[in-house]
Amino acid sequence: MPSRRKVNPPPSFSFVTTRPEVDGVSWFKIHSGAARSHAAYWGGPEKVHHEGKKHLAAQQNTTTTSASDTDRDTSSRDDHKPTFGCSNACTVLRRRSTKPKNVKAIVLPPQIRTQSPRHVGIDNTEHLPTLLHEIRAIDPPSAYILSTFEFFGEGFVRQFVMSDHEDYSVMFSACLLLSYAHSMALTGQGTKTILLELKSQVIQGISAKMGSSVGLLSPQYLTAILALGAPIVCMVSQDLPQRLSISDYINVSAQEDYLCCPASANTAQRALEEQIVHRQAMRRLFSNTNANFKDADNLALLQYISNSIDISMAIEAADHLHTPFARVEDLFPPTNPCGICSIPPQWRSPLTCQWFQEISASHVETQMLLLAEMTHRWLAAFFDRDSCEVAPNCKAQEELANLRERIERFSPIAGAYNIEAEAMYESCRWASLMLLAVEKLRVPIHVAAKHVILKPRLIKRLRMTNLSNLWGNRRGLLFWVVAVCHFATAGQCFPLLTPAVFARFAPQMAMLDCCSEIAIKPLRKLKLFESFCCREQPTG
């Protein structure tokens, strides 16, 4: 007979945050159901509570205890260390570890004075912060390190990572975390054990810093929080739908669509909730850090962080379904008028305010560029360069009809000698047809996706292209395709590929002066177009 014993449900996870008041500080909780990933942060599913005096006493005891005793005791004591802020910043409390004994916990020491070398090569890995024993087992370990540098790009590495700074270690650990999550989602290789240990290492490094800096974090630590709240990190931390491994999920999602179901969408929602928690912490801390770090290097890193926050906010706008046209602007950060800076040709797309005329030697690529140009002209009939609505007239309507007909005449290219070029062309053709369907059917993008069929599926087509280099000099077209795909899957399934590609785009875009022109404004135009087509049309 089945057991009648009552089983208690797993405890919920609470992020304890602070809120300043006139006569002190009040505490309140943000509840979130992302139990799997939150357990990786705080060490296990225990009930969160705050004991201020006990924390201060425990912190004093910690400074007088040897390093070996500290590492041994912090996993079993019930004291708490503040993380992510002080009186006016988001604070979370450590929990006692309940992980299996065969999983080795990695704890960063409270004070780290590691200085990075000017050049990291095959024989220089000993200068890097302590890595996980699983990563050290990689042959050679520097291969993974160098792939991490490749993920962020040469400009980011030279300016921020390869600099002599006392907070270098936690920043590099955060870089490892983000690039490892991206690699898992893109290739299916890697283990969640390593991912969760990397997250634990980053969060404990931030906690140690908060205990010694009275709540003031350097921009390097804000970069670590940025990595913790990255959508791809939050996504791959979840238990995947149907309990599939990440490699199995990649294979199934490329072939079938049965994973697009409410259960998958709920998993994605839990990842979004986790992402929002970190963003709230970042916003509380950013202004304080921005006011205290005024040297050139830190100001440049703060600008990068600000751009990254804006990009994340713009990407999240897709999750706000059925937003009225008049409220779309509220979902995006403010931007300057278009035309202040020139957009590099490789970043231009049908969603940018600028386009370029180019003829390729390849027939397939020429057709792809011609299709993108017509789609750019078609969208320009709805919105001007600053995404303001264009007043309709008879001539514009005739031009729209003509462009629509020409776009619809683009057909699949059969028997192309270059499989990757064909996949890129078909992905762009799908994105164009999606926009046409939204305008014709007057429905949101995720509804229009059910009426635009691509064989093989778009996910499989995209994985047939070189996503590691973001389509090279056609990266603007890839961003357009992935943005439409992201809107099409918002609230419908567990999208793994689009956050992975966005994760690679974000560091490169955030380093550029034209960040808002190639990231924020294109996503805002896409959201405006969707809401514009879905609003009630005047009768008569």
Side-chain angles (χ1 to χ4, degrees), residues 93-111:
L93 308 177
R94 288 191 58 198
R95 303 179 183 181
R96 179 168 56 86
S97 176
T98 59
K99 293 188 293 184
K101 294 183 179 180
N102 61 345
V103 178
K104 181 180 178 181
I106 294 180
V107 182
L108 290 177
Q111 298 291 335

Side-chain angles (χ1 to χ4, degrees), residues 18-33:
T18 61
R19 179 169 48 196
E21 292 184 347
V22 177
D23 55 351
V25 176
S26 66
W27 295 79
F28 67 100
K29 294 182 178 181
I30 298 176
H31 297 279
S32 180

Side-chain angles (χ1 to χ4, degrees), residues 346-455:
Q346 66 268 24
W347 287 105
R348 299 181 186 180
S349 77
L351 296 177
T352 57
C353 64
Q354 300 174 17
W355 183 248
F356 65 100
Q357 297 287 342
E358 182 180 352
I359 299 178
S360 173
S362 167
H363 171 69
V364 177
E365 190 173 38
T366 299
Q367 291 295 106
M368 180 179 68
L369 294 176
L370 183 59
L371 172 63
E373 178 189 357
M374 290 184 180
T375 306
H376 183 273
R377 291 169 54 191
W378 183 77
L379 283 174
F382 297 95
F383 302 100
D384 62 14
R385 291 165 58 89
D386 293 314
S387 296
C388 296
E389 184 179 354
V390 175
N393 56 71
C394 295
K395 183 178 180 180
Q397 294 298 323
E398 293 178 0
E399 180 69 12
L400 274 175
N402 180 45
L403 287 171
R404 166 184 283 277
E405 182 181 355
R406 296 177 64 182
I407 293 173
E408 289 175 340
R409 284 205 300 262
F410 281 85
S411 58
I413 298 180
Y417 67 93
N418 190 324
I419 297 178
E420 180 183 3
E422 180 187 359
M424 293 170 61
Y425 166 80
E426 284 297 309
S427 298
C428 292
R429 195 172 70 89
W430 174 87
S432 295
L433 294 178
M434 282 287 296
L435 298 181
L436 295 183
V438 170
E439 191 269 338
K440 181 179 181 179
L441 301 176
R442 299 291 177 180
V443 295
I445 295 179
H446 70 270
V447 176
K450 301 176 181 178
H451 300 270
V452 181
I453 307 301
L454 180 65
K455 295 293 184 179

